[in-house]
Amino acid sequence: MSEIVFNAPITSGDLQTQVESMQTTLASLNQQVIILQEALQERDQKIKDLEMRLSECKGVKDKEKLHTDNTLTIVGVLINLYKFLFPPGKAA
């Protein structure tokens, strides 16, 4: 960020020169304000983009949590068949 420089007051009684000096200082300050506003808008946009990405990522993760895979594998089917044919707790 650039430094704001105020023009030192002129000791001479030339009022016109003092007014011009103050106008120059005011223009410089005004330009700094504009630059800061633009930087702030850019950062606000980046924040909004990041928040949108985060909400999208959370949405995908939430959908993944809601969707559980209930399909059985071959091994799962064999285990369930074994449990059905030989129930636990019964002595053979």
Side-chain angles (χ1 to χ4, degrees), residues 8 20 32 48 52 65 77 80 83:
E20 288 173 2
Q32 289 296 319
K48 287 179 185 177
M52 187 173 62
K65 286 180 184 176
V77 169
N80 285 343
K83 287 181 182 178

Side-chain angles (χ1 to χ4, degrees), residues 38-55:
E38 289 173 353
L40 184 62
Q41 286 176 349
E42 288 175 9
R43 289 189 181 183
D44 283 346
Q45 186 61 41
K46 285 181 183 178
I47 289 171
K48 287 179 185 177
D49 291 343
L50 289 172
E51 286 175 341
M52 187 173 62
R53 279 185 183 170
L54 181 64
S55 66

Side-chain angles (χ1 to χ4, degrees), residues 21-51:
S21 175
M22 293 183 102
Q23 286 176 335
T24 303
T25 302
L26 182 60
S28 175
L29 288 172
N30 208 10
Q31 185 64 31
Q32 289 296 319
V33 168
I34 291 170
I35 290 170
L36 289 172
Q37 285 175 335
E38 289 173 353
L40 184 62
Q41 286 176 349
E42 288 175 9
R43 289 189 181 183
D44 283 346
Q45 186 61 41
K46 285 181 183 178
I47 289 171
K48 287 179 185 177
D49 291 343
L50 289 172
E51 286 175 341

Side-chain angles (χ1 to χ4, degrees), residues 1 7 25 31 36 44 47 53 56-57 60 62 68 85 92:
M1 185 172 164
N7 294 332
T25 302
Q31 185 64 31
L36 289 172
D44 283 346
I47 289 171
R53 279 185 183 170
E56 288 174 356
C57 288
V60 168
D62 289 344
T68 55
L85 294 175

